[in-house]
Amino acid sequence: MATLVWSHRLFIGVETLDEQHESMLALGRELRRLLTTSAPRAPTLEVFDQLIRQTRFHFAVEESLMRFFAYSRHEAHQALHARILARAEEMRAQFAAGERFAAWGAAKFIDEWVLAHIAQSDSKYAHTMR
């Protein structure tokens, strides 16, 4: 699994979004730690919920900026957001239900959810907002 650490490589140059990304990485790091150390379910679900809420808010801000700046791939990016949130909710539900291997799957998904989305998807639109 990748290291969820803020670095220059993840900087997209839009201050509000960069701050949100950094905060999401910190939550993702904490969630992954809880998921991989057999921490109690209740505090783990609390962090899971917090990361999902923050991600939902962050995606709404991104989508608003994309519309404002008339980003041509806005609809495709919005669809990606919907898929990420649906998968995050699914992982959370599986973990909450105590499904076997749900914690490991969720821990791995955090890389895609947070890191890959910032480094790959978000970097594609950032130039339109500077």
Side-chain angles (χ1 to χ4, degrees):
M1 283 186 264
T3 304
L4 294 172
V5 176
W6 182 251
S7 72
H8 184 69
R9 177 180 73 85
L10 299 173
F11 182 78
I12 66 168
V14 180
E15 185 176 357
T16 299
L17 299 179
D18 283 330
E19 289 170 357
Q20 291 173 3
H21 288 156
E22 189 171 6
S23 178
M24 289 167 63
L25 283 173
L27 278 172
R29 200 169 40 249
E30 175 62 7
L31 178 57
R32 195 163 66 184
R33 184 191 68 76
L34 291 168
L35 288 166
T36 58
T37 60
S38 301
R41 192 170 308 282
T44 303
L45 286 170
E46 190 175 307
V47 175
F48 220 135
D49 290 341
Q50 189 176 1
L51 181 55
I52 289 172
R53 279 192 309 274
Q54 188 165 349
T55 300
R56 187 173 281 117
F57 174 78
H58 170 72
F59 285 173
V61 171
E62 273 189 0
E63 291 166 13
S64 175
L65 288 170
M66 285 181 205
R67 283 189 300 276
F68 180 80
F69 287 100
Y71 176 57
S72 64
R73 301 214 8 97
H74 167 259
E75 289 179 6
H77 201 92
Q78 187 173 3
L80 176 62
H81 286 170
R83 286 191 304 274
I84 290 170
L85 281 171
R87 184 71 176 132
E89 293 282 358
E90 178 185 341
M91 289 285 186
R92 188 239 181 253
Q94 289 172 351
F95 177 75
E99 289 187 27
R100 192 170 183 203
F101 300 116
W104 177 251
K108 285 184 65 171
F109 176 66
I110 291 168
D111 290 345
E112 178 185 336
W113 175 2
V114 181
L115 270 182
H117 185 74
I118 295 169
Q120 296 167 11
S121 300
D122 287 358
S123 62
K124 292 178 182 173
Y125 72 75
H127 70 280
T128 66
M129 298 179 192
R130 289 187 220 130

